[in-house]
Amino acid sequence: MIKKKTLTPVLLGGIFFLMLGLSFAAVPLYDAFCRITGFGGTTQVSKEAPNIILDKVVSVRFDTNVNNLEWDFKAKKNVIDVKVGQVNRIEFEVENYGEDTTYGVASFNVSPASFGKYYSKLGCFCFEKQALKAGEKATYVMTFYLDPELVNDPTTKNLQDVTMSYTFFSTDYYKQS
C-alpha cells in the first residue's frame, strides 16, 4: 500500500515535468518541422545554389503589403519567370511617406504552401529590423532559387506559377532599441 501512495505522486510529478519540457520545446520543434517540410508555405534558407538548372520555367509573383506603417512597399517587377535551379534576384522599393522615423520587419509566405520547401533564399531582408527616416527611400534585395527537387514531387511538379507574399509590420519593440 505504501508503494502505491508514493508511486502516484512521483508519476504525476514526472508527467508534469515532461509536459513542461515539451511546452518549452514546442516552438523550436514546430519551427524545425516547418523548415524541413515547408509546412504552411515556410521557405528554405540556403548557403549555396544548386549545380543544375532545368528548362522548366515557373512564374513567381510578388505580392507586397504594409501593416500599420506609412510606407509604400512594392517589388520592382511584380512577376518574373525563372528557370528551376537558376539564382534570381528581385529588388523591392520602400518609401516612408510619414513624418517620423519608423521601424518595420518584413515577414513572408509562399503560396501554394506545398511549394515552400522548394523556394530557397540565399539572401533576404526578411525578419530584420529596417528603419526609414521621414521621406527616406530604400531598396531591399532578395536572392533566391527554386530547388530542382520540385520536379520530383507530385504536388509541385506541374505548378507553373507561385506567389511570394511579403508584409512589412510596424513594431513598437524596435522603437525602444
Side-chain angles (χ1 to χ4, degrees):
M1 285 268 196
I2 294 176
K3 281 193 169 192
K4 274 189 174 181
K5 287 184 179 182
T6 37
L7 181 61
T8 301
V10 169
L11 186 60
L12 288 175
I15 291 171
F16 171 77
F17 285 110
L18 176 68
M19 296 300 285
L20 183 66
L22 286 175
S23 69
F24 282 104
V27 171
L29 288 173
Y30 181 74
D31 182 55
F33 171 78
C34 289
R35 294 221 177 270
I36 291 168
T37 65
F39 181 75
T42 302
T43 62
Q44 306 301 305
V45 177
S46 182
K47 299 250 187 257
E48 57 186 59
N51 296 329
I52 185 170
I53 297 174
L54 305 178
D55 287 331
K56 179 176 175 61
V57 174
V58 175
S59 292
V60 180
R61 299 177 195 292
F62 296 96
D63 173 47
T64 55
N65 305 283
V66 177
N67 186 324
N68 202 25
L69 282 169
E70 293 180 339
W71 289 11
D72 184 36
F73 173 47
K74 61 187 175 200
K76 281 193 176 180
K77 293 182 180 178
N78 289 333
V79 180
I80 58 173
D81 292 333
V82 301
K83 284 188 172 184
V84 174
Q86 181 178 355
V87 175
N88 302 276
R89 177 186 154 118
I90 182 77
E91 293 183 347
F92 295 87
E93 297 173 331
V94 184
E95 180 180 3
N96 178 357
Y97 59 86
E99 297 178 6
D100 298 311
T101 298
T102 51
Y103 303 83
V105 174
S107 69
F108 60 87
N109 198 0
V110 67
S111 181
S114 60
F115 204 85
K117 66 181 172 182
Y118 302 111
Y119 194 102
S120 296
K121 295 182 306 289
L122 292 165
C124 188
F125 57 94
C126 328
F127 302 113
E128 294 178 3
K129 171 183 149 181
Q130 306 296 337
L132 287 177
K133 296 177 184 169
E136 183 178 10
K137 294 180 182 180
T139 300
Y140 300 131
V141 177
M142 185 197 38
T143 308
F144 71 98
Y145 66 89
L146 305 180
D147 190 326
E149 283 298 313
L150 75 89
V151 299
N152 297 325
D153 185 336
T155 63
T156 58
K157 69 179 180 181
N158 294 322
L159 287 176
Q160 296 178 0
D161 60 271
V162 62
T163 300
M164 190 71 186
S165 293
Y166 280 88
T167 302
F168 255 111
F169 292 93
S170 172
T171 176
D172 291 335
Y173 172 78
Y174 288 119
K175 291 180 183 176
Q176 298 169 7
S177 56

